[in-house]
Amino acid sequence: MTHPFLDLPPLSAERFAAIEDAVARLLDTRQDVLVTQGEALLPLEGAIRAAAGPGTVALNVITGPYGQTFGNWLRDAGATVHDVSVPFHTAVTAEQIREAFAAHPEIDFVSLVHAEAATGNTNPVAEIGEAVREQGALFYLDAVASVGAEPVLPDAWGVDLCVIGAQKAMGGPAGVSAISVSERAWARMAANPKAPRRSYLSLLDWKERWIDAGRKALPHAPAQLEMLALEACLERIESAGPATVMARHRSAALASRAGAVALGGGLAPYVHEERDAAPVATTLRVPSGVVASELVARALESDPALPLAAGGGALAKEMIRVNHYGPDATPGAVLGSLAALGAALAEKGMQVDPVAARRAVESAWRQTPVAFS
């Protein structure tokens, strides 16, 4: 039996390196870029365990569930961790970061999530980066959800470890990810006796066997299909233009917020301020007496392909996510999601106005640089 996916020639080291170079262009970085062979949790955990350990004093920012995870990893690695937590309906500020530095001047590592798709907020990384540079701390950023939906600029922002994944706004595969690494981050890893070595989590192994060796021979067989899918989505973004792709996501977010408010029925944006709302996904709070997971399940009965989900964990009762990213950053996805939610709310006796919602979506989208289509 033959199949086009099964009879591909092996991926060459040259092509693998070219895909890494395309990631570097997307991030506008001159740092080393590694494409890692696994979902983004691989480099996210690998970077923390490599760069942090006993003696590290970390500031961990919690604006959603991933920030909580990073704090756990940092403590497991032996770091002293100071958490800065903000309500999930808002974003952290550079002023709050500076206040944490003033209270703990020994901080030398900062971990932050750029955009939390799970809660729908996004953090002002450029401003926070200035504060981190003033402190001289190593800056670790999870940009998995934000890349493709809004600018991600490690060099301009002073980010030392920047992890991305392709499965959200980039519209690519989930099975590969990437990380950009600054020279001082490599130095921190090399000086850490607890940094993983001879391990799937080891970034230093990849550096020595791949980057330092001139990227001439792959250390092991790559994830062939996922690498080709990553290459394809990078080419698609380059062809359309990153600014166009990001504008489409911003349009979807603005239209979703405006449409939900116009729809009524008790729906409201979960993230209070528009400036704090992530372009990658819009979260909505359901009215009292309505369970979000039940409302989403009813809405999906009309069209299971709609990009709707209930919040995770305890948020499943109160939060809905409109995941308008990648191929779903379209007017159709936004309109379909709101129409289905409106019908489900109407069944529960809520007063909704789907016509007003449609008009609000169309108006919001037309006010952005991307044409309504």
Side-chain angles (χ1 to χ4, degrees):
M1 176 181 178
T2 62
H3 191 285
F5 289 162
L6 300 178
D7 300 312
L8 296 168
L11 193 72
S12 67
E14 181 181 13
R15 193 167 183 180
F16 193 105
I19 296 171
E20 290 182 331
D21 293 342
V23 173
R25 289 194 298 274
L26 178 65
L27 301 179
D28 194 21
T29 183
R30 299 177 65 85
Q31 297 178 6
D32 288 330
V33 169
L34 285 173
V35 173
T36 46
Q37 304 297 283
E39 200 271 338
L41 284 172
L42 170 64
L44 285 168
E45 182 175 359
I48 280 182
R49 295 194 183 278
T56 299
V57 181
L59 175 64
N60 180 55
V61 181
I62 301 176
T63 58
Y66 280 97
Q68 294 170 330
T69 297
F70 300 158
N72 293 336
W73 286 341
L74 285 162
R75 291 180 175 89
D76 287 346
T80 299
V81 182
H82 301 285
D83 290 323
V84 170
S85 300
V86 300
F88 290 176
H89 63 255
T90 187
V92 73
T93 66
E95 182 180 357
Q96 289 172 299
I97 301 300
R98 288 190 171 93
E99 289 172 355
F101 290 155
H104 305 283
E106 69 277 18
I107 288 171
D108 61 3
F109 186 99
V110 175
S111 53
L112 174 71
V113 180
H114 187 182
E116 288 266 12
T119 50
N121 56 29
T122 190
N123 292 301
V125 182
E127 299 169 18
I128 292 169
E130 291 182 11
V132 176
R133 278 196 297 271
E134 294 166 5
Q135 178 73 5
L138 205 72
F139 194 6
Y140 162 102
L141 183 69
D142 171 356
V144 174
S146 56
V147 66
E150 54 188 306
V152 176
L153 303 168
D155 292 9
W157 297 343
V159 177
D160 296 286
L161 295 158
C162 182
V163 176
I164 67 167
Q167 69 267 32
K168 288 188 168 63
M170 290 177 66
V176 289
S177 46
I179 180 171
S180 66
V181 186
S182 72
E183 286 299 323
R184 68 185 199 135
W186 284 129
R188 180 78 68 94
M189 295 181 203
N192 180 10
K194 288 188 170 292
R197 300 305 302 265
R198 296 167 297 282
S199 163
Y200 202 62
L201 286 175
S202 177
L203 298 177
L204 286 172
D205 288 355
W206 264 99
K207 181 180 187 298
E208 291 180 0
R209 299 177 61 192
W210 173 241
I211 295 175
D212 293 349
R215 299 195 300 176
K216 300 298 184 184
L218 288 163
H220 55 69
Q224 171 95 329
L225 297 180
E226 287 80 2
M227 287 296 296
L228 295 177
L230 175 60
E231 180 184 52
C233 86
L234 288 163
E235 290 175 349
R236 184 169 58 190
I237 292 171
E238 284 194 346
S239 177
T244 297
V245 176
M246 287 186 281
R248 188 165 63 242
H249 284 83
R250 185 62 181 159
S251 297
L254 292 172
S256 295
R257 286 179 69 88
V261 171
L263 179 64
L267 283 184
Y270 186 85
V271 177
H272 293 182
E273 300 294 333
E274 184 182 294
R275 67 174 182 271
D276 297 334
V280 68
T282 296
T283 47
L284 303 172
R285 190 182 299 277
V286 298
S288 177
V290 175
V291 177
S293 58
E294 295 175 359
L295 191 71
V296 168
R298 185 70 183 101
L300 290 175
E301 288 180 11
S302 64
D303 184 355
L306 290 172
L308 291 171
L315 295 176
K317 293 183 178 180
E318 64 184 54
M319 179 197 287
I320 292 171
R321 287 168 40 196
V322 184
N323 294 318
H324 46 65
Y325 53 70
D328 287 317
T330 65
V334 173
L335 288 168
S337 296
L338 292 176
L341 290 172
L345 284 167
E347 288 182 0
K348 292 184 173 294
M350 304 296 179
Q351 294 295 315
V352 297
D353 191 342
V355 174
R358 170 175 278 276
R359 289 173 179 163
V361 168
E362 293 174 353
S363 176
W365 207 293
R366 289 195 177 104
Q367 292 174 27
T368 62
V370 178
F372 187 86
S373 59

